[in-house]
Amino acid sequence: MKKFLLSLFLTLIFTGVSYSAVNLQDMNFLRTNPTVRIKDITDVEGARGNQLTGVGLVTGLNGTGDNSPMAVQMMRNMMRNFGVTLDARSVRTRNLAVVALTATLPPYTRPGQTIDVNVNTMGNASNLQGGVLVQSPLRAADGQVYAVAQGPVIVGGSSAQGANASRTQNVPTAGRIPGGAIVEREVPSDYTMGGQVALLLRQPDFTTAQRIADAINRAYGVVAYAVDAGRVEVNLPGQYVQAPTAFLANMGGIEIEPDTTAKVAVNERNGTVVMGGNVRISAVSVAHGNLVVSVGETASVVQPEPFSGGATVVTGRTDITADEEGGSVIAMPSTTTVRDLTRVMNSLGARPRDIIEILQAISKAGALHGELVVM
């Protein structure tokens, strides 16, 4: 009975393993793009964020601030606002730092809500850890103040220094104040000009734009049309003229299958290769081999003859050997897919950097039907 149960258990295990392996092999690699919601690949025109900038003072530093003339001047200006006049020679600025402030005001943000603020040193301060930003205005490109920032700075790095050594981890001269700015002015966002809504594609593509328009028309009648690869205009249906928010909420949930341009992105610095699923390769032969060059240095001592008056000399000898490892030549048929290309690359034993060189050579040969993007 025990042997029967053991054999049954092993049979189930191996059956599951083989079934899983079959599923992995039979995966549908021909379908390159999944179905996604319209709101996940588009933005509504008119509903956009706005960049805010400012300059401020971070105080409370433990001797890691900056002593630049800019810091002295800002300290004097701040104290002058409180009725205190300081002489430039009496200002000690090692406990404060001049910082640049940046933030993004999201759409639909109302006065009284808070946004995050990025803080970066502008002088020679070495560490913002433990600092507190003094109240500072944040302005947009029109020069108007849209938010006011203040609060303790959170730094993701650290720095320690001794008499003979120092250690720095990450970047201690940049930090963040979560929810550190209070919105004081609202940016109007009108996204329903003339009873019409415009959708902007994040990845412009003519096919995707037309598919979005067709999907909307199937759901609401003929109300949408693709203007170009990056814009789809939609006339609000009659029942939604007074409720555009409800229309955007319902329309954004419609699913389509986006189309993408065939691209191969390579990063030669770190050996990253990302290939789109719709990349095709014409009939081509690929040869791959490695030339290994070894350089060795050997030190030898030369002794003079006895009583010759010479000196002992250390000389070096350089040995250079070159070994070309066996390569392979593999022919790939026309309309090769990414899956086929990956299998060929693995059979060649190619590393990521080798794959980058092979892809560049295939592109130069005119056999790569897609855009090769070098990052």
Side-chain angles (χ1 to χ4, degrees), residues 200 214 274 349 360:
L200 306 179
D214 293 341
V274 179
Q360 289 176 338

Side-chain angles (χ1 to χ4, degrees), residues 176-218:
R176 188 176 180 86
I177 308 177
I182 300 177
V183 178
E184 301 292 343
R185 186 190 299 266
E186 177 184 352
V187 178
S189 56
D190 188 2
Y191 53 87
T192 57
M193 295 293 293
Q196 193 177 70
V197 176
L199 303 178
L200 306 179
L201 277 70
R202 295 170 187 166
Q203 297 291 335
D205 183 84
F206 285 104
T207 303
T208 304
Q210 188 59 50
R211 289 178 182 177
I212 292 176
D214 293 341
I216 296 175
N217 291 335
R218 285 193 297 269

Side-chain angles (χ1 to χ4, degrees), residues 36-39 212 215-216 219-220 249-256:
V36 298
R37 298 177 300 178
I38 291 179
K39 66 180 179 181
I212 292 176
I216 296 175
Y220 298 99
N250 297 331
M251 181 268 298
I254 299 176
E255 292 187 345
I256 69 160

